[in-house]
Amino acid sequence: MKNSYSNIFNFNKKILHKIIVNLKKGNVVGLPTETVYGLAGNAYMSESINKIYKFKNRPKRNPLIIHYFNYKRAEQDVIMNKNFYKLYKKFCPGPITFILKRKKKSKVKFSATANLNSVAIRFPNHRVMNSLLKNIEFPLAMPSANKSSRVSPVSAKNVADEFQKKIKMIIDGGKANLGIESTVIDLTGHPKILRPGLITPENINQVLKIKLNIINNNRTSKSPGLLSKHYSPGIPVIINQKNCKKNCALITFGKKYKNKKNFYNLSRTSNLKEAASKLYEIFRKIKKDRYKKIYVVKIPNKGIGIAINDRLKRASN
Ligand code: AMP
Ligand code: MG
């Protein structure tokens, strides 16, 4: 069936060719990944980087994640180390971003990395990204395809709704099945988690077998982009609640909550992975259903719950 958005396309060989032509020209394209949808541009071209920041209205001090097909392709831009290889082997392609030192001869534009001497790299696990990255000789700078500080998109329609016709090409790769942004880990020194995600501190500890640092101070100069206000659905979010009035929406978790019109359950079976995948979708649904405030029950702060609480906390700021 043809969709009603003239800028959303299904992926095929002809479209792949069109995407490549656009990226080479310095244009940006909306692309699916397993985490959330991204706004992609050629990481070796200033023009593309400028467009990404402009469209998103993103502060220039917030660096972008650079996406590669595999580690071989990233070797020319960053200095890899033992911890990186261990984690890569276990989790890639997948929802984890590594901060590594920049190589002197790196071609990644400094404007894409907020002039830092480090680069954030990721290897996405999605068939569209896979075919595309395999067929281009440059990596993609790609933040989530939403305006800065807003909720990340989990479908092609979410992207189209956010930017209207400004983005000429958005590729439909189905619902982003993980639904929450990658874990960000700084490997330039002793490993530090800068942003929690689906790959949890325990998962990482099992591989590295060290005591991991987890940063929850937003103003760390190491990760200038981790703004305290983020992931905002555009209406107030109040966390750690037990109930709410009829005119507000309550985001619930677990089977003890009834099926009420204004209750939105993240996971009836208390599955944190399911909850993470539904969070942004539910934010959008509540707004569409015209509630003016979102209350959220307490979510267990362990494993993937740490990532969910991180997003909820920022959304409530
Ligand atoms: P986003 O693109 O919004 O999903 O976020 C990516 C996050 O990764 C940014 O907000 C930064 O905090 C972090 N990041 C990206 N590049 C770097 C870098 N070179 N050094 C430290 N943190 C980075
Ligand atoms: Mg983002």
Side-chain angles (χ1 to χ4, degrees), residues 65-99:
I65 296 172
I66 314 299
H67 295 69
Y68 292 85
F69 177 61
N70 60 19
Y71 81 95
K72 276 272 161 215
R73 304 250 186 121
E75 264 174 345
Q76 54 175 325
D77 292 325
V78 293
I79 302 169
M80 292 169 179
N81 55 39
K82 267 194 192 146
N83 287 333
F84 167 76
Y85 290 118
K86 283 185 196 161
L87 294 170
Y88 179 89
K89 204 169 158 207
K90 178 81 181 169
F91 300 117
C92 293
I96 182 161
T97 296
F98 309 97
I99 313 289

Side-chain angles (χ1 to χ4, degrees), residues 4 61 64 87 190 209 212:
S4 56
R61 68 191 163 91
L64 306 175
L87 294 170
H190 187 83
K209 303 191 170 35
L212 254 186

Side-chain angles (χ1 to χ4, degrees), residues 44-144:
Y44 294 162
M45 247 177 115
S46 302
E47 204 184 337
S48 330
I49 305 303
N50 292 342
K51 277 185 191 155
I52 291 174
Y53 279 95
K54 196 175 120 214
F55 281 137
K56 281 185 60 87
N57 195 16
R58 181 172 170 116
K60 287 265 162 77
R61 68 191 163 91
N62 188 352
L64 306 175
I65 296 172
I66 314 299
H67 295 69
Y68 292 85
F69 177 61
N70 60 19
Y71 81 95
K72 276 272 161 215
R73 304 250 186 121
E75 264 174 345
Q76 54 175 325
D77 292 325
V78 293
I79 302 169
M80 292 169 179
N81 55 39
K82 267 194 192 146
N83 287 333
F84 167 76
Y85 290 118
K86 283 185 196 161
L87 294 170
Y88 179 89
K89 204 169 158 207
K90 178 81 181 169
F91 300 117
C92 293
I96 182 161
T97 296
F98 309 97
I99 313 289
L100 292 169
K101 285 185 186 150
R102 180 189 175 95
K103 266 196 182 158
K104 268 218 172 83
K105 58 167 194 186
S106 169
K107 287 197 274 184
V108 174
K109 288 291 165 196
F110 269 108
S111 56
T113 61
N115 284 318
L116 295 168
N117 246 322
S118 57
V119 182
I121 65 169
R122 185 166 105 79
F123 309 89
N125 186 14
H126 191 286
R127 66 185 171 89
V128 169
M129 290 306 300
N130 221 43
S131 323
L132 172 60
L133 287 167
K134 197 174 177 175
N135 282 289
I136 51 182
E137 63 282 7
F138 49 85
L140 295 175
M142 183 165 66
S144 52

Side-chain angles (χ1 to χ4, degrees), residues 56 58 144 146 152 181 230-231:
K56 281 185 60 87
R58 181 172 170 116
S144 52
N146 53 275
S152 300
E181 303 81 359
H230 209 140
Y231 317 113

Side-chain angles (χ1 to χ4, degrees), residues 29-262:
V29 181
L31 295 174
T33 82
E34 80 279 31
T35 57
V36 300
Y37 271 66
L39 188 61
N42 181 342
Y44 294 162
M45 247 177 115
S46 302
E47 204 184 337
S48 330
I49 305 303
N50 292 342
K51 277 185 191 155
I52 291 174
Y53 279 95
K54 196 175 120 214
F55 281 137
K56 281 185 60 87
N57 195 16
R58 181 172 170 116
K60 287 265 162 77
R61 68 191 163 91
N62 188 352
L64 306 175
I65 296 172
I66 314 299
H67 295 69
Y68 292 85
F69 177 61
N70 60 19
Y71 81 95
K72 276 272 161 215
R73 304 250 186 121
E75 264 174 345
Q76 54 175 325
D77 292 325
V78 293
I79 302 169
M80 292 169 179
N81 55 39
K82 267 194 192 146
N83 287 333
F84 167 76
Y85 290 118
K86 283 185 196 161
L87 294 170
Y88 179 89
K89 204 169 158 207
K90 178 81 181 169
F91 300 117
C92 293
I96 182 161
T97 296
F98 309 97
I99 313 289
L100 292 169
K101 285 185 186 150
R102 180 189 175 95
K103 266 196 182 158
K104 268 218 172 83
K105 58 167 194 186
S106 169
K107 287 197 274 184
V108 174
K109 288 291 165 196
F110 269 108
S111 56
T113 61
N115 284 318
L116 295 168
N117 246 322
S118 57
V119 182
I121 65 169
R122 185 166 105 79
F123 309 89
N125 186 14
H126 191 286
R127 66 185 171 89
V128 169
M129 290 306 300
N130 221 43
S131 323
L132 172 60
L133 287 167
K134 197 174 177 175
N135 282 289
I136 51 182
E137 63 282 7
F138 49 85
L140 295 175
M142 183 165 66
S144 52
N146 53 275
K147 302 236 172 83
S148 194
S149 90
R150 305 289 295 267
V151 180
S152 300
V154 294
S155 71
K157 275 187 193 165
N158 290 163
V159 182
D161 290 340
E162 184 84 353
F163 293 102
Q164 305 299 326
K165 290 273 147 58
K166 271 194 191 158
I167 295 178
K168 304 286 178 253
M169 242 190 146
I170 301 163
I171 309 306
D172 192 347
K175 188 179 172 278
N177 65 357
L178 302 183
I180 194 166
E181 303 81 359
S182 61
T183 304
V184 178
I185 183 162
D186 182 0
L187 298 176
T188 58
H190 187 83
K192 264 193 260 17
I193 293 193
L194 304 182
R195 176 172 73 188
L198 288 182
I199 294 177
T200 64
E202 299 87 77
N203 298 151
I204 291 170
N205 278 337
Q206 274 172 13
V207 178
L208 298 185
K209 303 191 170 35
I210 50 162
K211 173 115 188 66
L212 254 186
N213 295 332
I214 304 175
I215 299 280
N216 38 31
N217 169 13
N218 301 313
R219 265 169 279 281
T220 161
S221 59
K222 251 304 184 192
S223 199
L226 292 180
L227 310 172
S228 58
K229 182 179 154 58
H230 209 140
Y231 317 113
S232 163
I235 52 177
V237 175
I238 301 130
I239 54 177
N240 298 330
Q241 300 300 305
K242 288 208 167 107
N243 213 329
C244 77
K245 297 206 176 101
K246 266 190 189 159
N247 59 349
C248 296
L250 183 71
I251 296 185
T252 60
F253 178 77
K255 61 174 187 280
K256 74 172 183 189
Y257 294 94
K258 290 189 188 126
N259 267 327
K260 287 196 192 172
K261 190 169 162 261
N262 61 334

